[in-house]
Structures are given as structure tokens and as C-alpha cells.
Amino acid sequence: MARVAMVTGAAHGIGADASVRLAEHGMDVAVLGADEAAHADTVRRITETGRRCVFVAADVADAGSVDRALARVHSELGDPEVLLTCVGAVDRGPLGELSDQDWAEAVGGPLRGVFVTSRAVVDPMIKNGGGRILALADVVGGGRPAAARNSVVETGLAGFVRTIAKELRPFGITANVVAPEPAGTDLTATATAGGSAYAAGALDAVRFLAGAEASAVSGQIVHVAMTA
């Protein structure tokens, strides 16, 4: 039976490419999101690899919604062995103009989504003898206006995976973050569209960390630099 990956944030860009990369390496993929139409191209690309794919409507910040989505993934594909949460940058303007709601959406929203989805997959991963929890962070802003908020998100992700990595190590579950080298790179292009070296390197890192060869790598932030 094929391994199953559950992916959030895969409507476009690096998140979509990462979903396809996992399928190319033999995984069936469940794509979670709010808008099925926005994920149609991702689903098509995954099925073209010959792997099974299902789109599941879910609000990844809502625990009940994620639990229902996980139940559907279980029934249609099986329990996820890999969770990949793709966290994008959220820019709400200059610091002095940010409202409390802006801050909550820019920082609290992404981190809550990672927390809720990670918590949901722990029990099935333990039951099945292990798994991989990954976050793909498109959040470091370099010289962009949102750099401060994005750095908070990346720092939060780092602390979260380091903490759960220690807790989950006895169960064969690893937790890692793939993030851009904080040097102001262009993260908008995708690897499949002749895009950035960051995108290509990030996909290779995701593939490695999702695989059996990375069983001893956990609690790490893997920084991928722009090399060309």
C-alpha cells in the first residue's frame, strides 16, 4: 500500500509543487483547503503522476474541520504518514498601521494551522509506528515590508517543531521546517515553471525529510539558499 501524505497550502506555487513531488515519489496525496477550484490544477498534476489524490474541504485553523477532514482522508486513502503544511507570507502593511486583527491573521493564523493539523495526525502516526511532520515556510521577508511578522512566524515554527520533535521521537515521528535562507530571495516563482533555485532546493529538502532516509533528522530548520 502506498504511503499517504496530507498537504495544506497547496493551491499554487511551492506548496503545489511540493505536493506533486511527494506524488512523484510514490505517495498518495490528500490536499486540504477552503477552495476546491483553486486546487484543481494541483489535483490534476498529482493524478497525472499515477498516484491517487483527493481534495478535502477544510479550515485548517479549526480543530473540528481538520478532524472531519482527517476522517475522510482515512476512509479514501488511509492514515497519513506525512503531514506537510505550507505556510505562506501574509503582509498587512507597515507596523504602525497594523490592527490587532491584522496581527492575528499574519502571525496567529499560520501558526494555529500548523498546530491544529499536527495535533490531529499524532494519534494515527503513533498507531502506525511513525510519521513525518513537515512545515514548508515561505515566510522570510528579506527587505519586504512584512519581514518582521514573517520572522515571527518562522521563529514560532522553529520552536514548535523542536518541542514536538523531542516529545514524538520515541514514537518514530520526526518534525522539521524547510525555510528560505534569510537573505531576501525571490520565493514567488515555482520550480516547475523555471523558477527560483530556492524553490527547487526546497522541493528536494521536502522529499528527503519525508523519506525513510531522514528518520534520524528531527527538530531542525533546514535553510535553503538562493544559489543562482
Side-chain angles (χ1 to χ4, degrees):
M1 180 178 293
R3 301 170 71 205
V4 176
M6 189 169 81
V7 185
T8 73
H12 51 74
I14 295 174
D17 286 352
S19 301
V20 176
R21 180 64 62 90
L22 294 177
E24 289 171 343
H25 283 80
M27 297 185 199
D28 293 334
V29 181
V31 178
L32 273 59
D35 185 349
E36 184 171 7
H39 291 78
D41 187 61
T42 302
V43 172
R44 176 191 59 78
R45 291 172 59 198
I46 292 170
T47 56
E48 286 179 351
T49 70
R51 302 311 318 174
R52 294 184 297 165
C53 181
V54 59
F55 171 81
V56 183
D59 176 357
V60 298
D62 180 83
S65 180
V66 170
D67 287 342
R68 290 188 293 274
L70 185 61
R72 183 179 166 197
V73 174
H74 169 80
S75 67
E76 298 199 22
L77 298 178
D79 288 329
E81 185 178 337
V82 175
L83 169 68
L84 174 63
T85 54
C86 304
V87 181
V90 179
D91 189 358
R92 292 292 186 268
L95 180 62
E97 299 176 7
L98 286 178
S99 67
D100 290 350
Q101 183 63 30
D102 290 332
W103 179 261
E105 292 177 357
V107 175
L111 292 177
R112 177 166 175 78
V114 173
F115 160 68
V116 170
T117 54
S118 298
R119 181 180 62 183
V121 300
V122 166
D123 283 348
M125 286 184 177
I126 291 176
K127 178 187 71 176
N128 292 310
R132 303 283 184 267
I133 295 175
L134 303 174
L136 176 55
D138 180 359
V139 295
V140 174
R144 295 182 294 185
R149 274 84 71 204
N150 294 338
S151 295
V152 171
V153 173
E154 188 189 1
T155 300
L157 290 174
F160 179 68
V161 299
R162 285 171 180 157
T163 300
I164 67 171
K166 294 179 181 179
E167 176 184 341
L168 299 176
R169 183 177 295 122
F171 305 104
I173 301 172
T174 65
N176 295 285
V177 176
V178 176
E181 181 69 24
T185 62
D186 174 15
L187 308 181
T188 59
T190 68
T192 57
S196 69
Y198 165 72
L203 299 188
D204 288 340
V206 167
R207 184 212 57 77
F208 169 73
L209 292 170
E213 63 269 36
S215 60
V217 181
S218 194
Q220 303 301 311
I221 303 183
V222 179
H223 279 118
V224 180
M226 172 69 86
T227 57

